[in-house]
Amino acid sequence: MRLLLLTHSFNSLTQRLFVELAEAGHELSVEFDINDAVTREAVELFRPHLILAPYLRRPIPAEVWQRHVCLVVHPGVVGDRGPSALDRAILRNEAQWGVTVLQAEAELDAGPVWAQAAFPMRRATKSSLYRNEVTEAAVQAVLEALARLPDYHAGRWRPRRVPPGPLLPLLSPAERAIDWSRDDTATVLRKLYSADGSPGVEDRLLGHPCRLFDAHPYDASGRPGELLGRAGQGIVRATVDGAVQIGHLRRPDAPLPFKLPALLALPEAAGLAELPARDATIRYEEAEGVGYLHFDFYNGAMGSAACQALLAAYEQARTRPTRVIVLLGGQDFFSNGMDLNLIEAADSPADESWRNIEAMDDLCQAIIETDDRLTIAALRGNAGAGGAFLALAADFVWVREGVVLNPHYRNMGNLYGSEYWTYLLPRRLGEAGSRRLMQGRLPLGARAALRLGLIDACLDADHTAFLHEVRRRATTLAHAPDYALHLQRKQTQRAADEARKPLAAYRAEELAHMQRNFYGFDVSYHVARQRFVHKTPHSWTPRHLARHREIGWQVPAGD
């Protein structure tokens, strides 16, 4: 089928659906929902068999849904209506939630139901639930709905009408405001979790209006509402029965009004008492000859300091008597490469970009040059840009089914990229395959990545089962009878590669391009970064997504 994805942005859910629908053989194009005229034009150009709306912030134009089947993905159970469905489910401490695929009509979220899927709620942030449980349920429900389309057109099946519930408005700041004098830790965390990602919980810290993000329980106590101190880059605040650590803030009144680590956003907090850092962003464990290095950076962003800390942890892991090191990343993200918010906040974004890419390269180099043991990148969560190539620096890449990869850079203002991609990618895909992947700029699912040869294994989609399988495979590899042969082949190949072209030469060539991106006359990277960090609304759909806007594209004859 020819499917048009009408969406506010190409967010994680839309990307996952794009990947799954492409895998199923559908012909896809994407249009950002900018205004009614643009939407009508896109429909006329593409003439889709169905319009799918994974993520909208306004109604579909009546002249579109009246003439075409338009299915809306709503992150709520049947009967739920309104734009803050998942936020409210978290606040109400719902045990079960779900996703509903319904047909667009005049009343918002009140059309007939085509499919639904339920899931148990996990104690987690809205963004984590959306990226995992909501996305998995949405894929299930969308595929079920699409399978019903032939019967719908033939008159053999009709979607189910249910009495619509009340249309609830956008959740107001007051509805999740924290009462520090009364709210216990669980209540505070629910409010913070319900707003994580966006829009954050409105509050005041040291006299400044702030939006709070990235909260974790912290083992401490004090007068309710008191700022107990700083831990790492976070601020610790007491609740009525404990404390929470707030990792990131956004200050609307500040010169840098975007999300930043709490101490950077609020420099006055540096005067607070220093407390032990307990968020365990980086942690190491080992068992049966295998070392497991976990790193769970907020939103997968790795600034210069994060790269240096991870490199130090990796070098420390290499001193341990193990035969295999597994790079595990975090549950939501393996890595998304450079931290664009920290770069935007720097006195010189160009200089900080340079420091950040050098630090990423140092980390990748250490992994590539590890010759005394085998390395595995095990991706539980999504990876993009330099984070995807960080994974390729390992000897083996194992990916959880459902993970979305974006192994390219050009979407960030035609950034050339580094992390030794010009060495790592061709050795897996060849020169022609590497060019196609980098120029395509499209998301890639784990199954497609496996077929391409980009990764070595696509494992169980369930997080717990994935980790169990990673541990089983890594332990087997560490104790395999041919382990020494694996290691010898690795050493021989690396030596041959180095003799053919030194690793330093790849880095120098890549950084020459990056220097032009950061310091040259073409400011595309800086403009794209600013738009990304400041959440500037889209004014057009990128051409690599809007296939219907390609020069010469036509609806197939006879269709």
Side-chain angles (χ1 to χ4, degrees):
M1 281 189 288
R2 197 163 54 250
L3 306 179
L4 179 66
L5 273 62
L6 180 64
T7 182
H8 177 74
S9 70
F10 204 45
N11 70 345
S12 61
L13 172 58
T14 308
Q15 289 188 36
R16 175 67 188 286
L17 286 171
F18 185 97
V19 162
E20 295 292 341
L21 295 172
E23 186 78 17
H26 297 294
E27 185 178 7
L28 305 175
S29 195
V30 178
E31 187 70 45
F32 289 168
D33 182 36
I34 293 164
N35 58 50
D36 288 357
V38 169
T39 297
R40 288 194 298 267
E41 181 183 53
V43 173
E44 180 62 29
L45 288 171
F46 197 53
R47 290 171 58 185
H49 300 119
L50 181 140
I51 298 167
L52 181 66
Y55 172 46
L56 290 181
R57 292 188 176 181
R58 62 187 204 100
I60 297 173
E63 57 266 45
V64 173
W65 63 257
Q66 287 170 352
R67 298 177 184 176
H68 303 268
V69 176
C70 298
L71 298 185
V72 176
V73 180
H74 177 67
V77 294
V78 173
D80 177 85
R81 300 175 64 204
S84 300
L86 189 55
D87 313 48
R88 295 182 187 279
I90 294 170
L91 283 178
R92 292 195 301 262
N93 204 22
E94 297 280 1
Q96 291 275 131
W97 201 238
V99 169
T100 306
V101 175
L102 47 87
Q103 193 163 346
E105 290 189 342
E107 283 193 77
L108 190 67
D109 297 337
V113 174
W114 280 62
Q116 61 183 320
F119 56 85
M121 287 285 277
R122 175 170 52 94
R123 189 171 298 175
T125 64
K126 176 178 66 173
S127 53
S128 182
L129 288 165
Y130 186 84
R131 201 171 287 113
N132 291 282
E133 285 87 347
V134 168
T135 295
E136 293 298 333
V139 168
Q140 177 186 335
V142 165
L143 293 178
E144 184 179 321
L146 292 183
R148 289 172 170 159
L149 190 63
D151 285 344
Y152 173 81
H153 284 310
R156 295 188 296 267
W157 178 85
R158 282 291 176 263
R160 179 167 55 101
R161 286 202 173 271
V162 297
L167 178 59
L168 299 175
L170 189 70
L171 199 67
S172 69
E175 290 178 271
R176 53 181 150 212
I178 297 170
D179 184 343
W180 293 98
S181 66
R182 295 186 178 184
D183 289 347
D184 60 15
T185 300
T187 302
V188 169
L189 286 173
R190 276 201 305 276
K191 291 178 176 181
L192 288 162
Y193 287 173
S194 76
D196 202 73
S198 180
V201 169
E202 290 188 6
D203 207 280
R204 295 187 72 86
L205 292 174
L206 298 177
H208 296 283
C210 299
R211 289 182 182 265
L212 314 183
F213 305 88
D214 185 22
H216 305 271
Y218 191 91
D219 186 13
S221 61
R223 189 177 68 255
E226 178 186 6
L227 298 184
L228 301 179
R230 53 188 172 84
Q233 288 293 305
I235 295 172
V236 178
R237 192 168 193 180
T239 66
V240 297
D241 64 347
V244 294
Q245 178 176 329
I246 300 157
H248 282 72
L249 306 175
R250 184 163 71 80
R251 286 182 51 192
D253 67 332
L256 304 173
F258 47 85
K259 198 182 301 183
L260 289 168
L263 287 191
L264 183 58
L266 195 64
E268 300 95 319
L272 297 172
E274 185 173 1
L275 300 174
R278 293 174 179 157
D279 60 351
T281 301
I282 301 173
R283 63 184 179 87
Y284 175 81
E285 58 171 315
E286 67 182 57
E288 300 182 83
V290 181
Y292 299 91
L293 187 56
H294 303 254
F295 47 98
D296 194 2
F297 299 108
Y298 189 62
N299 288 338
M302 294 172 57
S304 304
C307 293
Q308 291 160 0
L310 185 53
L311 175 57
Y314 181 78
E315 295 292 7
Q316 178 62 32
R318 285 194 60 193
T319 67
R320 300 291 302 156
T322 59
R323 300 180 122 202
V324 174
I325 295 178
V326 180
L327 306 171
L328 270 169
Q331 175 164 303
D332 290 341
F333 298 102
F334 181 80
S335 170
N336 281 322
M338 298 192 302
D339 192 324
L340 299 178
N341 284 42
L342 289 181
I343 289 171
E344 184 69 13
D347 291 338
S348 169
D351 288 348
E352 185 54 37
S353 297
W354 187 260
R355 279 190 290 270
N356 204 160
I357 198 62
E358 287 270 37
M360 283 290 295
D361 283 359
D362 289 345
L363 176 59
C364 291
Q365 179 183 348
I367 298 168
I368 294 169
E369 292 183 338
T370 298
D371 61 1
D372 60 343
R373 66 199 75 197
L374 300 176
T375 57
I376 299 165
L379 280 65
R380 294 179 283 172
N382 298 344
F389 295 105
L390 172 65
L392 296 187
D395 302 319
F396 302 96
V397 183
W398 301 343
V399 179
R400 183 181 63 82
E401 186 173 354
V403 161
V404 174
L405 306 172
N406 279 283
H408 43 76
Y409 302 89
R410 290 181 61 196
N411 290 343
M412 189 50 61
N414 286 319
L415 197 64
Y416 185 80
S418 192
E419 291 96 5
Y420 299 94
W421 77 263
T422 53
Y423 168 64
L424 296 169
L425 201 55
R427 70 177 186 171
R428 285 180 173 268
L429 304 187
E431 295 293 343
S434 299
R435 280 195 299 273
R436 283 195 298 271
L437 186 68
M438 295 295 275
Q439 292 170 3
R441 298 188 286 165
L442 292 173
L444 195 64
R447 281 169 287 171
L450 181 62
R451 285 197 302 271
L452 282 177
L454 186 67
I455 66 174
D456 303 294
C458 172
L459 304 182
D460 200 299
D462 178 79
H463 281 270
T464 302
F466 173 78
L467 284 175
H468 177 78
E469 181 64 7
V470 165
R471 292 178 187 277
R472 188 191 69 78
R473 288 182 175 224
T475 302
T476 300
L477 181 61
H479 299 282
D482 59 350
Y483 172 85
L485 183 59
H486 276 295
L487 195 59
Q488 183 182 36
R489 285 174 179 165
K490 170 182 176 173
Q491 293 164 347
T492 301
Q493 184 64 57
R494 177 82 278 282
D497 289 349
E498 187 69 15
R500 189 178 306 112
K501 182 177 179 178
L503 211 53
Y506 290 98
R507 179 168 178 162
E509 291 170 0
E510 291 171 0
L511 291 180
H513 287 280
M514 294 293 269
Q515 187 174 44
R516 287 192 287 275
N517 290 141
F518 298 156
Y519 297 102
F521 291 110
D522 184 354
V523 297
S524 299
Y525 157 70
H526 296 291
V527 171
R529 186 196 65 249
Q530 289 166 357
R531 292 177 62 87
F532 175 84
V533 170
H534 291 275
K535 310 298 182 191
T536 305
H538 295 284
S539 52
W540 66 84
T541 306
R543 290 297 179 263
H544 68 283
L545 297 177
R547 183 179 180 189
H548 54 282
R549 296 188 183 279
E550 291 177 357
I551 295 174
W553 190 89
Q554 292 182 339
V555 176
D559 201 346

